């Protein structure tokens, strides 16, 4: 029964001309590559995903190329054709990996930018009343944080994240108008910075 199934497949393939068979195999591979490239350029999730499945397809289509050539040509020609196809496929695989690597490098640069955001150190507890945060220092930090919230609001945020960010921006605006901050207001400012850092990391800003 299995041998009959194989014979039926072989008879159908044998009815296809050699050139047509190659066009089908290579055309299918080209279509898969173009689709993968398009999705990698348009969708960040696909861009950063592993390209190992595509490399497995390169191996599979190299085997199909060998099989197609062996029906018409000798073994040396078939091996050469499969090797050439595999080399081309590997170069295309490398191109997709390079595109994904660019995305990862951008993410690393974003993390560096996040780490450079000024964060106030916790106030030291003292028996006497703690000093207020200087107005100039708090104003610089608040202006930077508010500019980051504006960039985040331009992103395609989830409903909950957008509401949280708008609330956070309003709080920062109120603190900015106060000028010098009291110790308790500095604690509120630090909490808002921490929330802002999480949103920056989530949306790669």
């Amino acid at each position: 029964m299995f041998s009959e199934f194989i014979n039926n497949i072989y008879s159908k393939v044998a009815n296809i001309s050699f050139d047509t068979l190659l066009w089908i195999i290579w055309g299918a591979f080209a279509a898969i590559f173009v689709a993968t490239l398009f999705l990698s350029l348009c969708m960040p999730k696909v861009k950063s995903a592993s390209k190992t499945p595509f490399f497995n397809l390169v191996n599979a289509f190299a085997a199909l190329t060998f099989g197609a050539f062996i029906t018409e040509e000798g073994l040396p020609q078939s091996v050469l054709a499969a090797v050439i196809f595999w080399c081309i496929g590997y170069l295309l695989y490398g191109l997709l990996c390079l595109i994904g690597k660019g995305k990862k490098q951008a993410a690393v640069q974003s993390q560096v930018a996040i780490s450079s955001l000024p964060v106030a150190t916790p106030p030291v507890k003292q028996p006497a009343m703690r000093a207020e945060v200087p107005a100039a220092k708090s104003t610089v930090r608040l202006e930077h944080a508010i500019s980051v919230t504006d960039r985040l609001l331009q992103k395609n945020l989830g409903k909950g994240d957008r509401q949280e960010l708008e609330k956070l921006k309003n709080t920062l605006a109120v603190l900015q108008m106060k000028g010098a901050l009291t110790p308790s207001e500095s604690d509120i400012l630090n909490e808002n910075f921490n929330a802002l850092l999480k949103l920056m990391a989530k949306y790669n800003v």
Side-chain angles (χ1 to χ4, degrees), residues 153-171:
L153 287 171
Q154 296 175 1
K155 297 283 185 178
N156 186 18
L157 306 177
K159 183 178 180 181
D161 290 340
R162 183 171 292 278
Q163 291 176 349
E164 179 184 359
L165 187 59
E166 290 175 347
K167 181 179 178 181
L168 189 150
K169 181 180 179 180
N170 292 334
T171 302

Side-chain angles (χ1 to χ4, degrees), residues 34 44 51 68 78 95 105 121 185 205:
V34 171
K51 301 303 184 295
S78 300
L95 175 61
Q105 289 177 344
T121 56
E185 289 170 341
V205 173

Side-chain angles (χ1 to χ4, degrees), residues 53-131:
F54 182 83
F55 180 70
N56 294 334
L57 281 175
V58 171
N59 295 332
F61 275 88
L64 289 174
T65 299
F66 175 82
F69 267 84
I70 201 68
T71 60
E72 292 288 332
E73 305 291 343
L75 181 61
Q77 294 89 337
S78 300
V79 172
L80 180 61
V83 169
I84 292 175
F85 177 88
W86 187 89
C87 290
I88 295 173
Y90 187 79
L91 290 175
L92 297 178
Y93 163 74
L95 175 61
L96 294 176
C97 291
L98 185 62
I99 294 174
K101 185 178 180 181
K103 174 66 176 179
K104 293 179 181 178
Q105 289 177 344
V108 171
Q109 292 175 357
S110 176
Q111 293 298 326
V112 173
I114 292 171
S115 64
S116 66
L117 182 68
V119 179
T121 56
V124 179
K125 294 183 179 180
Q126 298 178 355
M129 183 179 295
R130 294 177 296 179

Side-chain angles (χ1 to χ4, degrees), residues 150-199:
D150 290 335
R151 293 202 304 270
L152 276 169
L153 287 171
Q154 296 175 1
K155 297 283 185 178
N156 186 18
L157 306 177
K159 183 178 180 181
D161 290 340
R162 183 171 292 278
Q163 291 176 349
E164 179 184 359
L165 187 59
E166 290 175 347
K167 181 179 178 181
L168 189 150
K169 181 180 179 180
N170 292 334
T171 302
L172 294 176
V174 172
L175 294 175
Q176 186 182 31
M177 289 187 294
K178 291 182 66 64
L181 303 180
T182 64
S184 60
E185 289 170 341
S186 297
D187 293 339
I188 295 174
L189 179 61
N190 289 335
E191 292 176 1
N192 281 272
F193 276 147
N194 292 333
L196 182 59
L197 286 171
K198 292 179 181 179
L199 289 171

